[in-house]
Amino acid sequence: MAVGKDNVEIVKARIDKREYRRVVLRNSLQVLIISDPDTDKCAASMDVGVGYFSDPAGLEGLAHFLEHMLFYASEKYPVEDSYSKYITEHGGSTNAFTSSEHTNYFFDVNTDGFAEALDRFAQFFNKPLMSADATMREIKAVDSENQKNLLSDAWRMNQLQKHLSDEDHPYHKFSTGNWDTLEIRPKAKGVDTRNELLKFYEENYSANLMHLVIYTNESLDKFQNLVEEKFQDIRNTNKNCFHARGQPCKSEHLQILVKTVPIKQGHKLRIVWPVTPEIHHYTEGPCRYLGHLIGHEGEGSLYYILKKLGWATGLSAGESDWSLDFSFFKVVIDLTDAGHEHIQDIIGLLFKYINLLQQSGVCKWIFEELSAVCETKFHYQDKIPPSDYVVNIASNMQFYPVKDWLTGSSMPSKFSPSVIQMVLDQLSPDNVRIFWESKNFEGLTDKVEPWYGTAYSLEKITGSVIQGWVLSAPDENMHLPAPNEFIPTDLSLKNAPEKVKFPVLLSRSTYSALWYKPDTLFSTPKAYVKIDFNCPYAGNSPEAEVLTHIFTQLLMDYLNDYAYYAQVAGLYYSINHKDGGFQVTLFGYNHKLRNLLETIVEKIVSFEVKTDRFSVIKELVMKEYQNFKYQQPYQQAMYYCSLILQDQTWPLIEQLDVLPALQVEDLVKFVPAMLSRTFVEFYIAGNVESHGALSMVKHIENVLFNCSKPLCKPLFSSQHLANRVVKLESGMNYFYPSECLNSEDENSALVHYIQVGPDDFKLNVKLQLFALVAKQPTFHQLRSVEQLGYITVLMQRNDCGIRGLQFIIQSTVKSPGNIEQRVEAFLKIFETKLYEMTVDEFKSNVNALIDMKLEKHKNLREESAFFWREINDGTLRFDRRIYEVEALRELTLQELIDFFNEYVKVGAPRKKTLSIRVHGNRHSSEYKAEASEPHLAKIDNIFTFRRSQSLYGSFKGLSGQVKL
């Protein structure tokens, strides 16, 4: 327990060593201060109890627009964007989001910059400056954000559900806002948007509606004084908290079947019921209990039956879109083509399962098992980044009593059959809303949702019709889940005698290599296991790549009803294909991890192709490949960039070309051939002793290589895979023009990549420091001032140890060629700023980057990802941070300027650039001109270009061999 200032006990995790204190300031602002002496980052989150439900009529998106405007400047710090500049230069980040009844602002920063960052942050809630000059620019930013979402099925379907509700209820509203709602319509009515913005702030931003969380490395007493000083003058108007009175769905919005056309390929069924919000019964957890059962995937479950029938490839169930006043329970089912033809049977089976729950009664043992799993999860939770932690808690503070600010609704503990029964009774045919998505409905709809243009049709459906579907549904043996054998009972910590800082190569043979890293930092009963199957045959053609993908998906499919219990109990796994093989990853409580691992390996060894499941998975993979065209244009540009740079990779278009012809027999022949020559690389970390790790490896070696009929043989030395990257020619500005694969998308995108060179500590830190120094000015100039687009990013890039820099910008207002001109113009502006940088400014940025590098890993997964990257790239510099910090401490301002002049400056003779230009439909004429115009630096064919270029040497020596 942690104690609040008023002696209210705050429930905290058993392994949580942080201190917590609740403070209520004189202006009624509630604050939670968290002291964590071990943290490298400090953070703060302010949750304001007002959101888009409070938008005035005719000004949709005003709350979201205010969220954008608030961070620009304040009376105390009037320079535009100086807040984000300060945060970035002190190793931090800042963001905000608007929800229905809340707006959350948050940041994190290096510890030495926290006090001033907090002062700057506080000013936005005291005396913000929302300048007239910034108003128009930020309306364009909101519009660009909305443009990004227009072809997203998640946004479209969410708005359609809101559209089909009571027009007078705030749930019905359009939340984001756009140019039309914030500029054109208000202007036509003589309404000044900025005046309305200021009025909205004055009326709604009151201290009594705010909850603040502070995460610091300092003592509670010290920071309480600081918080009081900075936040107690926020105005308190004793504003009442907004409540959406009444229910969003009237009778005409219930018992409806809505057929709608998505953007992406595939069919989906969403079955929705209005229910009592669980927030009023969070210790009883009715929606959690029902979601656990209806969403279960073990034998006898609804999903198990739908999967066996070949009708579904995914199912989830639980509460969503909840508030204090209303809530929905949703079941979402991903359908196969066959499932799309059996929709009545599927809905019938769902209600049959609900009837089974009614007949079985509320089961105490199931609730107690679920409660025990939730309790263990809470008490052994991983540390997460402070910025995420403060956001979660600030959101909880609006809803839960003080003692449950940390737990929220994560620990149902009170068994109440009547409360669960109450919500179960609400899952009836009489108040259901059914949304059925499929491309097959194109041309068969008669209505259009106004904000996103989603086509749909609507018909009423009676309870008696649904009862008919229940009666005619297949007679399948549905039953409740069995007791969960994967729940850990041994949560003890193993001995880690030495303070091992880095992974060690514990064993190496012709079959495998084992990298081992015991947990010396986190003290949790968890392990992380990565098994990398290097199979050269898996990556030698587009067909092989696709068959490997289908193989890994089928493995997951076969394991699902068994391994789902492990996932419920906190033991997660994945099997993914990769270039030249596949990976098995396990993470979670170590107690029963070995059981799951051995079962997965057994499934690999005894793999057989089941014809019915092959057809389902092939269809799933086909849709996945087809849906790549609906990715955001900037994502398409990043894909092309990787395809150009990374040798021996096959394009999706070729994989899509070979996929339809692939049959069961092809996979039957392929899998033994793929596994016939294999090298297995292990990374085992966490609460596992070295003999346990060696024993796992020995077991797998025996099963794969050393049995009477071995499935695998070792690789020949010539077969070990190397990751090689194209070496761009010095002085060349290559560009690859492309049309956006989705002809409906108005967004264009540019990825402007600057190649620097292979992994080298001194070169790395120059690149990293430049990226840090230029990050915020890039955003300010290209996004805030020039308004090129909502997505405007400068970031580093690392391809298998080859380092570089990339500008990523998505825009509707400029073509990719024009965006590139603006990037180069920015670099010329920035050149002057860099040359004018003082030694003190330089040192400040160097210190910020050193602090970022010395930041400790938060949890086992984060640490494992860092070390695995070194192993996978072949760089093996586990001590990288130490040496890069040394290099930083020796770096001079002149060396940074020299780096810029050689690698980044426009026109630098040794500069190597590659620009990917993806043209949306607004800029198709520019694409046609670029595509037809001959140019020395233009890439017409990716593979011709790739073959013509030199390659960097690979860092990967023989797999598992330390390269000295």
Side-chain angles (χ1 to χ4, degrees):
M1 295 285 182
V3 181
K5 192 69 175 172
D6 47 6
N7 292 323
V8 176
E9 290 185 325
I10 300 173
V11 177
K12 70 173 190 174
R14 289 185 201 115
I15 63 170
D16 188 353
K17 296 183 175 67
R18 294 168 289 205
E19 292 184 311
Y20 298 82
R21 180 181 293 171
R22 175 196 182 226
V23 179
V24 182
L25 304 188
R26 68 186 185 198
N27 57 357
S28 298
L29 172 64
Q30 294 203 56
V31 185
L32 181 67
I33 305 170
I34 305 168
S35 172
D36 179 2
D38 294 330
T39 191
D40 311 293
K41 276 273 196 293
C42 294
S45 170
M46 179 74 90
D47 196 274
V48 185
V50 62
Y52 68 81
F53 275 8
S54 299
D55 284 346
L59 276 167
E60 293 86 356
L62 190 67
H64 178 221
F65 177 46
L66 172 57
E67 172 227 301
H68 276 239
M69 286 291 291
L70 198 70
F71 276 176
Y72 259 83
S74 63
E75 285 186 15
K76 185 172 179 180
Y77 300 100
V79 177
E80 190 177 287
D81 266 358
S82 61
Y83 163 71
S84 53
K85 181 174 186 289
Y86 180 86
I87 296 288
T88 303
E89 288 177 352
H90 289 80
S93 60
T94 175
N95 213 331
F97 61 86
T98 306
S99 64
S100 57
E101 296 174 312
H102 303 272
T103 308
N104 194 294
Y105 303 87
F106 58 96
F107 73 90
D108 67 357
V109 73
N110 292 341
T111 53
D112 63 348
F114 191 41
E116 184 175 333
L118 204 58
D119 188 51
R120 290 170 177 272
F121 185 69
Q123 299 311 310
F124 299 128
F125 307 99
N126 276 307
K127 293 180 178 176
L129 280 184
M130 292 179 275
S131 71
D133 178 52
T135 301
M136 190 61 68
R137 282 186 272 129
E138 214 50 39
I139 290 175
K140 288 178 181 175
V142 168
D143 186 65
S144 176
E145 183 177 352
N146 183 61
Q147 288 278 353
K148 165 184 77 69
N149 301 333
L150 288 177
L151 297 179
S152 160
D153 282 327
W155 285 89
R156 293 164 72 87
M157 296 308 158
N158 183 46
Q159 191 63 43
L160 179 60
Q161 290 172 66
K162 290 157 68 170
H163 178 65
L164 296 173
S165 67
D166 182 359
E167 288 184 21
D168 296 326
H169 195 281
Y171 177 72
H172 185 82
K173 291 183 176 185
F174 167 55
S175 61
T176 312
N178 59 25
W179 184 252
D180 202 35
T181 66
L182 295 171
E183 172 62 16
I184 294 173
R185 291 187 195 179
K187 192 173 273 186
K189 295 176 187 170
V191 172
D192 184 309
T193 301
R194 180 167 177 269
N195 286 344
E196 292 298 317
L197 178 79
L198 297 173
K199 183 177 161 190
F200 187 86
Y201 176 84
E202 289 295 319
E203 289 180 357
N204 293 287
Y205 274 49
S206 173
N208 71 301
L209 297 184
M210 298 179 184
H211 291 81
L212 174 67
V213 182
I214 302 289
Y215 197 106
T216 176
N217 62 329
E218 303 278 8
S219 71
L220 293 175
D221 289 337
K222 178 177 178 179
F223 246 78
Q224 180 173 337
N225 293 332
L226 194 73
V227 167
E228 286 172 349
E229 174 198 324
K230 295 186 187 306
F231 291 91
Q232 65 188 3
D233 292 330
I234 295 174
R235 199 169 44 97
N236 178 16
T237 62
N238 286 310
K239 169 85 176 171
N240 287 328
C241 195
F242 176 87
H243 283 301
R245 305 295 177 196
Q247 292 300 307
C249 295
K250 294 183 173 177
S251 58
E252 64 264 33
H253 307 120
L254 302 174
Q255 292 191 315
I256 56 172
L257 173 61
V258 181
K259 296 175 182 174
T260 178
V261 183
I263 298 295
K264 289 186 174 181
Q265 296 289 339
H267 323 281
K268 201 181 286 277
L269 194 58
R270 300 175 198 267
I271 302 100
V272 187
W273 296 267
V275 294
T276 302
E278 187 174 75
I279 186 66
H280 299 301
H281 304 281
Y282 66 92
T283 55
E284 293 92 344
C287 290
R288 186 179 284 266
Y289 175 91
L290 294 170
H292 169 65
L293 292 175
I294 297 171
H296 209 280
E297 298 181 19
E299 188 180 340
S301 66
L302 171 63
Y303 178 65
Y304 178 84
I305 300 301
L306 295 177
K307 182 169 164 271
K308 190 179 83 168
L309 292 166
W311 293 349
T313 57
L315 186 150
S316 62
E319 187 181 33
S320 72
D321 290 340
W322 63 271
S323 76
L324 287 170
D325 303 286
F326 67 90
S327 183
F328 295 98
F329 189 93
K330 286 185 187 175
V331 177
V332 181
I333 306 172
D334 297 313
L335 306 171
T336 61
D337 291 346
H340 178 71
E341 302 301 322
H342 287 87
I343 214 76
Q344 295 178 5
D345 288 330
I346 291 170
I347 294 168
L349 283 167
L350 168 59
F351 278 101
K352 259 192 175 182
Y353 194 84
I354 291 169
N355 289 345
L356 168 69
L357 297 183
Q358 290 280 12
Q359 290 154 17
S360 304
V362 179
C363 294
K364 187 174 185 181
W365 77 264
I366 291 178
F367 180 86
E368 287 178 345
E369 182 183 88
L370 180 62
S371 177
V373 166
C374 291
E375 186 178 357
T376 303
K377 183 177 181 181
F378 175 76
H379 284 296
Y380 294 95
Q381 63 185 285
D382 291 336
K383 262 193 176 181
I384 59 175
S387 59
D388 294 339
Y389 195 57
V390 294
V391 167
N392 293 346
I393 297 171
S395 302
N396 280 352
M397 288 166 72
Q398 297 276 9
F399 294 104
Y400 299 95
V402 176
K403 73 180 181 67
D404 293 329
W405 278 358
L406 307 185
T407 59
S409 59
S410 67
M411 281 211 296
S413 55
K414 190 169 159 190
F415 181 58
S416 175
S418 60
V419 169
I420 295 171
Q421 188 65 48
M422 172 188 70
V423 177
L424 179 59
D425 290 343
Q426 292 167 352
L427 309 185
S428 83
D430 297 330
N431 66 338
V432 74
R433 290 154 56 87
I434 301 170
F435 294 82
W436 182 8
E437 303 165 29
S438 175
K439 285 273 200 188
N440 292 10
F441 296 137
E442 278 181 332
L444 303 175
T445 58
D446 58 356
K447 294 179 176 61
V448 176
E449 187 281 316
W451 297 111
Y452 291 83
T454 306
Y456 72 98
S457 63
L458 184 148
E459 59 191 83
K460 291 292 280 184
I461 186 164
T462 63
S464 58
V465 166
I466 292 174
Q467 288 299 347
W469 295 349
V470 172
L471 294 171
S472 63
D475 187 16
E476 295 289 340
N477 180 27
M478 289 194 281
H479 57 79
L480 297 179
N484 193 335
E485 300 295 332
F486 276 103
I487 293 174
T489 53
D490 179 3
L491 296 166
S492 62
L493 298 181
K494 311 290 185 192
N495 290 325
E498 304 160 48
K499 285 283 178 186
V500 182
K501 285 187 177 179
F502 306 117
V504 292
L505 189 58
L506 205 56
S507 72
R508 183 174 66 224
S509 68
T510 54
Y511 310 126
S512 73
L514 165 59
W515 295 96
Y516 170 68
K517 169 65 177 68
D519 175 16
T520 55
L521 289 176
F522 312 114
S523 301
T524 57
K526 296 178 182 179
Y528 182 98
V529 176
K530 175 84 77 176
I531 311 172
D532 195 49
F533 287 80
N534 292 284
C535 312
Y537 192 60
N540 69 1
S541 69
E543 287 91 345
E545 184 94 7
V546 176
L547 287 166
T548 306
H549 190 177
I550 293 173
F551 165 72
T552 57
Q553 292 286 91
L554 273 172
L555 269 177
M556 295 275 285
D557 185 76
Y558 295 167
L559 284 159
N560 190 66
D561 52 294
Y562 167 80
Y564 183 77
Y565 282 95
Q567 290 180 233
V568 168
L571 179 54
Y572 306 97
Y573 81 106
S574 64
I575 306 171
N576 300 300
H577 77 293
K578 56 156 205 145
D579 294 338
F582 63 99
Q583 287 181 348
V584 176
T585 308
L586 297 94
F587 172 75
Y589 302 115
N590 57 274
H591 181 206
K592 298 181 180 178
L593 183 144
R594 176 87 182 246
N595 302 3
L596 179 59
L597 175 60
E598 290 184 4
T599 303
I600 291 170
V601 174
E602 177 54 38
K603 282 286 183 201
I604 293 171
V605 171
S606 62
F607 183 81
E608 59 181 60
V609 185
K610 299 173 186 173
T611 304
D612 58 335
R613 298 314 299 164
F614 175 86
S615 301
V616 168
I617 297 302
K618 179 182 171 182
E619 179 191 312
L620 188 69
V621 171
M622 176 83 79
K623 286 172 184 168
E624 183 186 323
Y625 289 178
Q626 289 170 336
N627 283 331
F628 177 74
K629 71 182 279 188
Y630 302 111
Q631 295 265 34
Q632 294 272 354
Y634 82 90
Q635 293 170 315
Q636 294 180 30
M638 292 177 76
Y639 161 75
Y640 290 131
C641 192
S642 296
L643 197 59
I644 289 169
L645 291 173
Q646 294 172 11
D647 194 38
Q648 293 299 313
T649 48
W650 307 106
L652 272 171
I653 193 166
E654 291 181 6
Q655 295 177 51
L656 193 53
D657 189 50
V658 301
L659 180 52
L662 294 176
Q663 300 301 324
V664 169
E665 308 79 63
D666 297 305
L667 190 61
V668 169
K669 289 178 197 164
F670 172 78
V671 173
M674 174 186 71
L675 292 169
S676 65
R677 293 284 174 185
T678 302
F679 183 84
V680 189
E681 195 156 24
F682 295 84
Y683 176 81
I684 299 179
N687 194 37
V688 181
E689 290 174 315
S690 58
H691 64 82
L694 285 164
S695 168
M696 281 188 220
V697 171
K698 191 69 181 165
H699 171 80
I700 292 171
E701 279 191 355
N702 288 340
V703 169
L704 295 176
F705 295 95
N706 294 326
C707 55
S708 56
K709 291 185 178 176
L711 188 66
C712 310
K713 292 180 182 175
L715 295 188
F716 294 114
S717 62
S718 61
Q719 289 182 294
H720 283 270
L721 298 169
N723 310 319
R724 302 196 66 185
V725 175
V726 165
K727 187 176 187 178
L728 299 177
E729 201 174 320
S730 293
M732 291 297 290
N733 301 313
Y734 296 107
F735 70 96
Y736 177 67
S738 169
E739 278 187 294
C740 183
L741 295 171
N742 179 10
S743 59
E744 302 292 308
D745 205 324
E746 296 186 345
N747 293 283
S748 292
L750 172 78
V751 168
H752 181 79
Y753 168 68
I754 301 169
Q755 192 172 69
V756 173
D759 187 58
D760 172 86
F761 293 145
K762 191 83 172 179
L763 198 56
N764 294 351
V765 298
K766 293 174 188 176
L767 169 63
Q768 291 158 8
L769 187 61
F770 175 78
L772 177 66
V773 170
K775 180 182 175 182
Q776 196 279 333
T778 298
F779 184 86
H780 175 68
Q781 181 62 34
L782 300 180
R783 200 255 213 189
S784 300
V785 177
E786 297 188 29
Q787 285 297 320
L788 294 184
Y790 179 74
I791 296 170
T792 300
V793 181
L794 169 64
M795 62 189 293
Q796 299 167 60
R797 184 181 174 104
N798 179 3
D799 295 274
C800 309
I802 308 305
R803 307 292 182 127
L805 196 68
Q806 56 187 357
F807 291 84
I808 303 167
I809 301 170
Q810 184 164 296
S811 178
T812 54
V813 297
K814 297 279 186 187
S815 71
N818 282 332
I819 299 171
E820 184 151 24
Q821 289 171 8
R822 299 317 309 151
V823 168
E824 297 205 332
F826 162 74
L827 286 172
K828 287 175 181 171
I829 295 168
F830 188 75
E831 183 180 333
T832 307
K833 289 184 178 177
L834 186 63
Y835 294 165
E836 292 171 354
M837 180 182 279
T838 66
V839 172
D840 284 348
E841 287 173 324
F842 170 76
K843 285 180 178 172
S844 174
N845 281 291
V846 166
N847 290 336
L849 187 54
I850 287 172
D851 286 346
M852 291 164 75
K853 288 196 168 297
L854 294 177
E855 196 177 326
K856 295 184 286 289
H857 297 298
K858 303 289 179 296
N859 53 57
L860 180 60
R861 274 179 300 181
E862 194 181 290
E863 179 191 73
S864 298
F866 177 84
F867 289 139
W868 178 254
R869 179 72 188 259
E870 295 291 332
I871 295 165
N872 197 47
D873 286 349
T875 42
L876 301 179
R877 294 316 302 253
F878 304 126
D879 53 0
R880 162 178 312 283
R881 294 173 169 198
I882 297 167
Y883 287 99
E884 288 187 346
V885 165
E886 277 182 20
L888 268 172
R889 288 189 169 126
E890 293 169 4
L891 195 66
T892 65
L893 174 56
Q894 188 56 50
E895 284 178 303
L896 179 63
I897 291 169
D898 291 345
F899 168 83
F900 174 82
N901 289 340
E902 182 174 350
Y903 292 100
V904 183
K905 182 178 177 177
V906 176
R910 290 187 58 190
K911 185 176 179 180
K912 301 182 288 186
T913 64
L914 167 63
S915 290
I916 313 296
R917 303 175 181 176
V918 174
H919 298 74
N921 64 21
R922 284 193 184 184
H923 304 117
S924 53
S925 58
E926 286 92 335
Y927 168 71
K928 291 183 176 73
E930 280 183 18
S932 60
E933 183 186 325
H935 195 291
L936 181 64
K938 185 175 73 170
I939 299 171
D940 291 309
N941 181 290
I942 288 175
F943 309 101
T944 303
F945 173 79
R946 210 163 69 177
R947 284 191 292 268
S948 71
Q949 299 299 299
S950 301
L951 300 175
Y952 282 105
S954 173
F955 284 96
K956 204 88 162 140
L958 285 178
S959 292
Q961 185 170 328
V962 181
K963 206 171 176 187
L964 299 172

